[in-house]
Structures are given as structure tokens and as C-alpha cells.
Amino acid sequence: RDDARDARARAMAAYVAENAAGAVVHASDDATPWIDVDQRRIDAFATCANDHQYIHARDAPGGAIAHGFLTLSLLTPATAARTTPAWSTRAVNYGLNRVRFVRPVRAGARVRARAIKIVAARALPDAAGAETEYLVELETAPSASSASAERAELALVASWIVRHYV
């Protein structure tokens, strides 16, 4: 058990050293799978958040819009497997430094996340804190000129801090 913990601690130290000054992690194929944002999900979130504003309702003029915080909350399931280093025994949400809701997400849309930059990584007692900048992309219809090409527009930008424990 101590040998495994020591190995994880060494891996954590290497991770912090590699990412202390920030690292670009964006690649064209690193997006998460698409997540459906259907009306049922919007209604369930409205109930949990006690936010039943008319723009989230099925019959809203122009169609229902997902809660910004619903879109933000989808970062957790979208990125869990991709952002937890192998040496980490658990990851804990430590907060957000910056969030911008760039474009509304309508009911029936699909979103995905993409890590674009590790802003900083810091060693902590028995842990490492990593601040990573994410994009949440909104699927858009392919253009007539490239009917098969996958297209996405920016819906949200977030700088998220997660602590990873040895």
C-alpha cells in the first residue's frame, strides 16, 4: 500500500512539474462524446434548482432554452474520465475562476466539452490542484458545402479548478 501511494505521489509531482506553467491540451480529436440536452433534462434541472422561468418551459416563445447552470453542470459527466490523472484516487471540485455563457443551448440540442488548456497545476499536501480551461460546444447543422463534416459553436467557456488526491 505504501509503495503504491509513493508511486502515485511521484506521478503527481511529475504532473505538477509538467503543468505548473500551464500546458495547451487542445487537439482536434479530444472532444468528449455528445450529450443530449432534451426538454426532460431541462425540466428536471428546473425542479432541482427551483428555477421555472418561462424561457426554460416547453412552450417558451422561440423554444425552450436550457439553464446556463445546467450546461455548466454537464462538464462533470463529460470530462470525468478524461481529466482525472491515473495517479489520482479521487477528484474534488474546488470551484470556478471564470465562466461565460456565450450562446444559449436550446432544448433538443447536443453539447460536448473540450479541455483546451491547463492554466496551472500546484502541489498541495497529498494533492494537486489543477485549473483547466474548458469549452462547451453546441452541435450545429452541417453546412451545404460540407454535409458530412461535424460542426460546433461555442456555448460556454469555464476555468475550473479540481483537486486530485494521491
Side-chain angles (χ1 to χ4, degrees), residues 36-148:
D36 293 322
V37 183
D38 57 15
Q39 188 63 48
R40 198 176 94 196
R41 186 180 295 245
I42 293 169
D43 292 344
F45 190 87
T47 298
C48 290
N50 197 26
D51 180 355
H52 299 281
Q53 186 179 12
Y54 77 94
I55 63 171
H56 307 303
R58 183 178 313 276
D59 58 353
I65 295 172
H67 304 73
F69 284 111
L70 168 58
T71 306
L72 180 62
S73 74
L74 293 175
L75 276 176
T76 300
T79 63
R82 293 173 181 248
T83 58
T84 302
W87 52 263
S88 178
T89 59
R90 69 185 183 282
V92 177
N93 175 6
Y94 192 68
L96 297 148
N97 274 348
R98 183 177 69 99
V99 176
R100 296 293 180 266
F101 300 105
V102 180
R103 182 171 281 110
V105 175
R106 298 213 175 265
R110 296 191 324 157
V111 297
R112 66 182 177 191
R114 184 184 303 272
I116 58 165
K117 181 180 177 185
I118 297 175
V119 177
R122 293 176 188 80
L124 306 164
D126 294 326
E131 179 180 348
T132 306
E133 200 162 279
Y134 290 94
L135 302 178
V136 173
E137 297 174 327
L138 175 64
E139 184 179 43
T140 60
S143 68
S145 62
S146 61
S148 64

Side-chain angles (χ1 to χ4, degrees), residues 12-30:
M12 179 195 75
Y15 172 86
V16 169
E18 182 180 325
N19 296 295
V24 175
V25 294
H26 175 71
S28 61
D29 62 349
D30 70 349

